[in-house]
Amino acid sequence: MAGGLVEFERHRPRLFALAYRMLGSATEAEDAVQETYLRWETTRRAEIGSAEAWLTTVLVNLCRTWLDSARARRETYVGSWLPEPVPTGHGELGPLESAEQRELVSMAMLTMLERLTPTERSVFVLREAFGYAHREIADMLALSESNSQQLYRRAVQHVRADRRRFETTPDQVRVLFEKFLAAAHSGDVAGLEAMFTADVVSTADGGGKIHAARRPVVGPARVAQYLNGLVTRLLPEFPAASFAFEEVNGEPALVFRTAGTVFMIGTIEVEDDRIAALRMVLNPDKLAYFARVERAFAGETAC
């Protein structure tokens, strides 16, 4: 490999992790990384003092521009929009060793980040997830240092205002998932309802390609009825379906497969041992990256 490609490949995993946090889409993140490489190849690298700083600056500003057009696309998106799930059990988004690191890539957090302006999101991600100083962020985004600080405070207020923060272990989440599956499989609507908080919200992303509620379903009774109906419809259609608990976006998730193909990925938020939010990604376009990484890892382990 040419020297420029060798250097770029050294930074690629980190660039992808940054782009994904910026865009909430693994597919778009890969495109952003590739576009950054094309610009890297056509620049005079001898004049670049720090490859990391140059690449990060190009990528984050590229993502900031793309977020403007993404907002327009999401306004016409069919149904609720959720981030594209990424398997993280093998370091796909970098080290997730602390609860804070895992929270920053969770489905809940990435959904919250949609509230921010592209520049607010850039500052928040660079500061929270990658630890850049405001002076460095200001240089990357062509801001003043004080403006970077102000944007960061505003972003934190937006993101944390309605963010539930409850410490739960993977085992606790798994137990709740198992109880949930048992109740749903048996048609125990009352049992399902008892598992939810009073303000539980269920959000499904089918993208208009898979039948799913196009608006969030709110309240324990409505969510229980909706999920019972969903399971009742799916079980006859997919008698050989299987469920597995896997790490997705830094948290335990329920991965539903049929005939070896990923059909749905679901995550939950927990409050006082009850389910406060459910997020289900069914849009096949958003499951393609997950399946591709899964196949690639399976191929590596088989070698």
Side-chain angles (χ1 to χ4, degrees), residues 213-228:
R214 293 192 175 186
R215 295 182 180 179
V217 181
V218 182
R222 293 184 64 198
V223 171
Q225 289 287 351
Y226 166 66
L227 293 174
N228 180 64

Side-chain angles (χ1 to χ4, degrees), residues 22-58:
M22 283 288 299
L23 300 169
S25 165
T27 306
E28 291 178 359
E30 287 186 314
D31 291 342
V33 171
Q34 182 61 23
E35 177 63 26
T36 302
Y37 171 68
L38 293 176
R39 298 186 184 192
W40 168 255
E41 276 294 281
T42 57
T43 194
R44 295 182 178 179
R45 292 190 294 274
E47 300 175 2
I48 297 174
S50 167
E52 177 183 324
W54 190 93
L55 291 168
T56 302
T57 299
V58 170

